[in-house]
Amino acid sequence: MDTPSPIRVVIIGGGIAGLATAVALRSQIDLVNDIARLIDKDRAVDTHNVTVEVYEQWKAEPKSSGGDCDDLGQLVRSSSAGGLQLGPNGMRALQLVRDGLDEKWIRRGHPCNGMRFRNETGAELCVLEQQHVDHESNRYKLPAVTGRRASLLSLLEEECRDLGVCIHYGAKVESILLVRPDQVEQPDDGRRKTKKPQSKVSVSFANCEQPILADLVIGADGVHSRARAYVSPETVPEYTGIVGFGGFMDGACCPPIVTESDLPDRSKLEMQFGPIGFFGFGVGHTHKISFSTRKSSSSLTSSASSPSSAFGTSPCSESEIGQSIMWWSTVPMEGIAAPDLKSMSDVEAIQLLRETHRGWAGPSGRILCAAKERGDPIVKTMIHDVRNLSSWHGCDGRLGMSCSAL
């Protein structure tokens, strides 16, 4: 009787898309069988017969202890990644990736029920309401949830480890090639072989002498994808001329930086548009904070604690429940190059933003001043656009794109 050899799936990219794909492949048997049939139409397997590996090009950065970063969440936190919001459809996607994953994200983030739009004078333009989860118009019966990108990455990485997914760091792709059956070296593992050998995909990495062979390769490596070049080579990212900035302010402040008049409904995000640029802010997540002075660093000791106002006027205590403020801004910067943005210091970024939003009503100036005073890290990102792909797969269907950043 034949013993089926394991199916090896390699995912290029350890961001949200790559890790979510890995979790789904290890937890969804129907998805696994679809992949098995793609490789061998007569083959039926279970999740134990599929190995899933993630290869991420980011290298581990040194910890304060001198060791290496051992997870992507730590790596992204050290790089001060910003925030994001998953809408009800995104929350449904988390449910489908693995049962209960949406509830875990809710506990790490902050439910949001809408957005308020204002101009630079503070005049309200409109309010976009997100229907309650029990409302008949809420198709997915789930809330939108905001939070730290790093927190979602950490959550997905925890799921990967729980499911036995191996994540390799510092793995930069150099080439991807289809290897025909007659070129595949068959291992002598003592198993009786009655079926013809299958094609494989060879992936070479900059820091590895030997390429790896996989039955299926999935590209999930972002806007500047190396994998996409092998399925839709004419599709290249286009810089939009806009740079995004952002950050988080954890903990309570005395006096508060964002007041109740700035954010009257903490379940909504505030969006402010001006002649040049855009500024948005809102509650990122609720957590327990511990601090002794205004400048001390906050430590997250619990998540999804019972909400308490971060906008009150009472003096700061040694430990209390607080709500972090997530903020972001976009500024037109046509002529800037990636190396110039990378070399821009956080102080220079804050100065640029203060000039852009000077005179605007609301807390943008106060938030930026506080970020400078506290030394909060600032995210700086060139925003690119990727047009439709001419194809989503290559290498005879053994190389496919999980998603394309748009």
Side-chain angles (χ1 to χ4, degrees):
M1 180 177 180
D2 286 342
T3 302
S5 58
I7 293 175
R8 187 181 191 183
V9 179
V10 166
I11 298 171
I12 300 173
I16 292 173
L19 296 181
T21 301
V23 173
L25 287 173
R26 292 294 295 149
S27 58
Q28 301 293 338
I29 184 61
D30 291 341
L31 183 59
V32 170
N33 274 312
D34 286 343
I35 289 177
R37 284 190 291 269
L38 175 68
I39 295 171
D40 185 343
K41 293 181 179 179
D42 300 323
R43 194 170 189 175
V45 298
D46 59 30
T47 55
H48 300 290
N49 202 35
V50 175
T51 63
V52 181
E53 300 169 71
V54 177
Y55 287 81
E56 166 59 41
Q57 71 170 341
W58 278 91
K59 296 180 180 179
E61 294 182 351
K63 294 179 182 177
S64 57
S65 61
D68 281 339
C69 211
D70 62 356
D71 70 82
L72 188 59
Q74 288 180 341
L75 176 63
V76 175
R77 280 193 293 275
S78 69
S79 303
S80 65
L84 82 168
Q85 181 186 92
L86 292 185
N89 56 342
M91 296 296 292
R92 175 57 177 157
L94 280 186
Q95 276 187 336
L96 295 175
V97 167
R98 193 181 190 188
D99 187 44
L101 198 52
D102 59 312
E103 297 174 359
K104 294 179 180 180
W105 174 236
I106 290 174
R107 290 196 292 269
R108 297 192 183 202
H110 182 81
C112 177
N113 67 9
M115 303 177 186
R116 187 187 314 276
F117 296 86
R118 302 179 187 270
N119 64 16
E120 77 278 10
T121 69
E124 184 177 294
L125 303 175
C126 69
V127 177
L128 178 63
E129 297 281 357
Q130 169 68 47
Q131 295 295 346
H132 189 269
V133 293
D134 294 328
H135 195 277
E136 61 180 11
S137 65
N138 189 323
R139 176 181 176 185
Y140 302 101
K141 307 303 179 186
L142 291 165
V145 179
T146 61
R148 287 182 178 271
R149 184 176 293 270
S151 181
L152 182 55
L153 283 168
S154 293
L155 171 60
L156 291 170
E157 190 184 50
E158 291 166 13
E159 299 294 308
C160 283
R161 289 181 172 177
D162 181 56
L163 293 166
V165 175
C166 184
I167 305 175
H168 307 269
Y169 297 104
K172 185 176 182 179
V173 174
E174 282 196 332
S175 65
I176 302 175
L177 299 171
L178 177 67
V179 181
R180 298 293 179 183
D182 58 345
Q183 300 172 307
V184 177
E185 183 178 347
Q186 301 299 316
D188 185 11
D189 52 12
R191 289 180 297 199
R192 184 165 62 90
K193 302 175 180 63
T194 59
K195 293 185 178 181
K196 294 181 180 179
Q198 300 290 319
S199 297
K200 302 281 186 178
V201 179
S202 171
V203 184
S204 298
F205 297 94
N207 59 339
C208 297
E209 293 184 2
Q210 297 294 327
I212 62 170
L213 290 179
D215 295 288
L216 180 68
V217 175
I218 300 174
D221 47 341
V223 173
H224 301 284
S225 170
R226 297 279 293 177
R228 189 178 58 237
Y230 293 89
V231 300
S232 183
E234 72 283 359
T235 304
V236 294
E238 301 173 3
Y239 176 47
T240 61
I242 298 174
V243 172
F245 300 86
F248 272 84
M249 296 181 62
D250 282 323
C253 298
C254 306
I257 300 302
V258 177
T259 66
E260 290 185 3
S261 62
D262 298 320
L263 194 59
D265 184 348
R266 285 166 295 178
S267 64
K268 287 184 172 58
L269 298 179
E270 294 284 335
M271 311 285 193
Q272 196 170 12
F273 295 85
I276 298 177
F278 161 88
F279 195 89
F281 61 96
V283 175
H285 63 282
T286 302
H287 55 268
K288 185 176 181 180
I289 55 172
S290 300
F291 52 88
S292 57
T293 66
R294 180 174 175 179
K295 290 187 177 181
S296 17
S297 58
S298 302
S299 59
L300 306 185
T301 57
S302 67
S303 58
S305 305
S306 57
S308 174
S309 174
F311 316 106
T313 58
S314 58
C316 295
S317 59
E318 282 295 313
S319 180
E320 66 181 53
I321 301 301
Q323 293 177 319
S324 71
I325 295 298
M326 177 175 74
W327 66 269
W328 62 100
S329 175
T330 55
V331 179
M333 299 182 70
E334 288 283 354
I336 195 167
D340 297 329
L341 184 63
K342 186 175 181 179
S343 64
M344 179 185 291
S345 69
D346 288 348
V347 172
E348 291 171 328
I350 290 174
Q351 182 60 36
L352 171 67
L353 293 174
R354 291 180 65 184
E355 290 294 330
T356 301
H357 303 298
R358 187 179 301 280
W360 287 28
S364 59
R366 282 175 272 134
I367 289 175
L368 294 170
C369 285
K372 180 179 179 180
E373 179 182 342
R374 292 155 52 106
D376 293 337
I378 308 298
V379 177
K380 302 175 283 285
T381 306
M382 296 176 70
I383 299 176
H384 290 77
D385 187 20
V386 178
R387 299 186 183 276
N388 292 336
L389 277 64
S390 59
S391 175
W392 287 80
H393 57 83
C395 293
D396 287 355
R398 292 177 178 269
L399 167 63
M401 299 301 295
S402 173
C403 65
S404 181
L406 299 176

